[in-house]
Amino acid sequence: MVKSRSAPDIWMIAATLGILAIGVVMVYSASAVAAFHDYGDKFYYVKRQLLFAAIGVAAMFATMNVDYSRLRKWALPGLIICFALLVVVLIPGIGVVRGGARSWLGIGSLGIQPSEFMKLAMILYLARLLSERQNLMTSFTRGLLPPLAVLGTAFGLIMLQPDLGTGAVMIGAALLVIYVAGARLSHLGGLGLLGVAGLVGLIAAAPYRLQRITAFLDPWQDPRGAGYQAIQSLYAIGPGGLVGLGLGMSRQKYNYLPEPQTDFIFSILAEELGFIGGSLLLLLFLLLIWRGIRTAITISDPFGSFLAAGIVGIIATQVLINIGVVIGLLPVTGITLPLVSYGGSSLTLLLTALGILLNLSRYTR
């Protein structure tokens, strides 16, 4: 590992704080109507988002200034704890059902989502495991199969909730780490075909997933049912035009687009700030991802390189899926937009992960 430590990547910090600031503003704009209707307080959601953001930023600066090599010893204990939480959340009476999935632990509006913790724990564990077994990665049985077994077990527990979106993000980021660690493309290609077959099976096993696929192909077949969210999202984006209707002037947030402050917050942003506002946000994400890739490439420590690649994979996969759903290129999956959508577990965990990535940027060549 490189012993000399420099300043953290200033571009990465700027992109992170810029996206976070846009997110806080858009959470207020998208949620004010629903918050006043449901709670009599139009600041209900944004106050909580500011609290989560403050905790997350504090965690980001803390993890940015602690030697990342110390995380090695926490990789396995963290993974075991997350596996335990994924089991506990499935127990009726303990796990809380929200949005049709038993994926939360907590009381009332206060809760955590164990699958969010598992995403980071899995990347940390794989970074440690593969950095120690890198010379075996060209072997399917000795190199590739062990991490895939751990990954598959975690994915299976997440699917029992069920939460396909979070599971897909974890799989995408983990496979990126495995590829960077030296796995053969022929092995990963074969597994990809099996994965497609498994995905078809998962869709066929759950009628609501099949409805989402048919709604994705033609949402106007069921405009008041399975296709409702996709149609309302497009109704928000379309009128936005080049410069938008103006901040706070969205029409779709008036109980047309469900949960506009979470999964479909980009629709409201595009409606109010237009193509220019949406493009600015995407450019900030591209800047963040580019600087993360640069960190993964230029750090000489394999553990740090794999960890950086995994964190970048989480962000990039989640952005691609969320934006793809919002603009109608992917079926509805229930994935939030990183640093922008309302949420406690996802926001604080992602900022913590970005603190680790900033820490890694201090050791680049």
Side-chain angles (χ1 to χ4, degrees):
M1 185 184 72
V2 178
K3 295 298 182 182
S4 59
R5 190 171 75 167
S6 60
D9 191 318
I10 189 64
W11 291 105
M12 199 185 300
I13 294 176
T16 299
L17 295 181
I19 296 170
L20 185 61
I22 291 173
V24 170
V25 172
M26 290 312 305
V27 164
Y28 170 69
S29 180
S31 68
V33 173
F36 186 78
H37 178 270
D38 296 338
Y39 303 102
D41 179 9
K42 63 181 181 178
F43 298 104
Y44 178 86
Y45 289 107
V46 74
K47 286 189 296 188
R48 284 158 176 76
Q49 187 76 348
L50 283 169
L51 175 61
F52 298 142
I55 295 171
V57 169
M60 182 181 77
F61 280 99
T63 52
M64 184 176 70
N65 290 290
V66 177
D67 188 352
Y68 75 88
S69 62
R70 297 183 182 181
L71 295 172
R72 279 180 175 270
K73 66 178 182 180
W74 293 104
L76 184 57
L79 186 73
I80 293 172
I81 292 171
C82 287
F83 267 118
L85 291 175
L86 287 180
V87 172
V88 170
V89 79
L90 296 174
I91 301 174
I94 298 179
V96 179
V97 178
R98 296 183 186 177
R102 191 182 300 278
S103 56
W104 291 83
L105 291 173
I107 301 174
S109 60
L110 299 176
I112 62 169
Q113 197 171 0
S115 56
E116 290 290 337
F117 288 82
M118 176 54 86
K119 287 190 299 188
L120 181 56
M122 180 61 67
I123 294 305
L124 180 58
Y125 172 75
L126 289 178
R128 174 183 168 177
L129 177 69
L130 300 183
S131 64
E132 296 170 352
R133 301 166 59 91
Q134 193 173 2
N135 60 322
L136 300 175
M137 288 308 296
T138 55
S139 168
F140 181 82
T141 54
R142 298 175 61 196
L144 188 57
L145 197 57
L148 287 179
V150 177
L151 180 61
T153 303
F155 180 72
L157 288 172
I158 292 174
M159 287 307 302
L160 290 175
Q161 298 178 7
D163 188 354
L164 179 59
T166 302
V169 172
M170 183 186 69
I171 290 287
L175 289 179
L176 176 62
V177 175
I178 291 171
Y179 170 70
V180 170
R184 290 182 176 179
L185 280 175
S186 57
H187 291 162
L188 294 177
L191 290 170
L193 294 176
L194 290 175
V196 170
L199 182 61
V200 171
L202 289 172
I203 292 172
Y208 77 92
R209 293 194 192 109
L210 186 59
Q211 288 180 345
R212 287 182 177 181
I213 295 298
T214 56
F216 160 66
L217 296 174
D218 186 3
W220 279 269
Q221 281 187 351
D222 188 10
R224 295 187 178 182
Y228 181 79
Q229 286 179 304
I231 291 173
Q232 297 304 319
S233 177
L234 295 177
Y235 281 165
I237 295 172
L242 181 64
V243 297
L245 302 178
L247 186 63
M249 301 303 292
S250 166
R251 302 162 184 162
Q252 290 301 104
K253 66 185 179 184
Y254 285 87
N255 291 329
Y256 292 105
L257 187 61
E259 300 293 335
Q261 72 275 11
T262 55
D263 302 351
F264 287 89
I265 195 168
F266 187 79
S267 305
I268 304 300
L269 185 147
E271 183 182 14
E272 295 186 348
L273 304 181
F275 177 80
I276 293 176
S279 297
L280 173 62
L281 179 62
L282 293 180
L283 285 174
L284 287 173
F285 274 121
L286 286 174
L287 175 61
L288 178 60
I289 292 168
W290 166 53
R291 301 304 292 186
I293 292 173
R294 178 183 177 277
T295 297
I297 291 173
T298 55
I299 191 169
S300 59
D301 175 29
F303 170 70
S305 179
F306 301 159
L307 184 55
I311 294 171
V312 171
I314 290 174
I315 299 168
T317 304
Q318 202 160 326
V319 170
L320 286 172
I321 293 176
N322 179 271
I323 301 297
V325 168
V326 164
I327 64 177
L329 293 180
L330 293 173
V332 176
T333 56
I335 287 292
T336 57
L337 188 60
L339 302 176
V340 180
S341 296
Y342 172 79
S345 296
S346 59
L347 181 60
T348 53
L349 260 292
L350 190 57
L351 285 169
T352 301
L354 284 167
I356 297 172
L357 188 59
L358 285 164
N359 193 324
L360 293 166
S361 74
R362 307 181 74 166
Y363 294 89
T364 55
R365 294 191 299 271

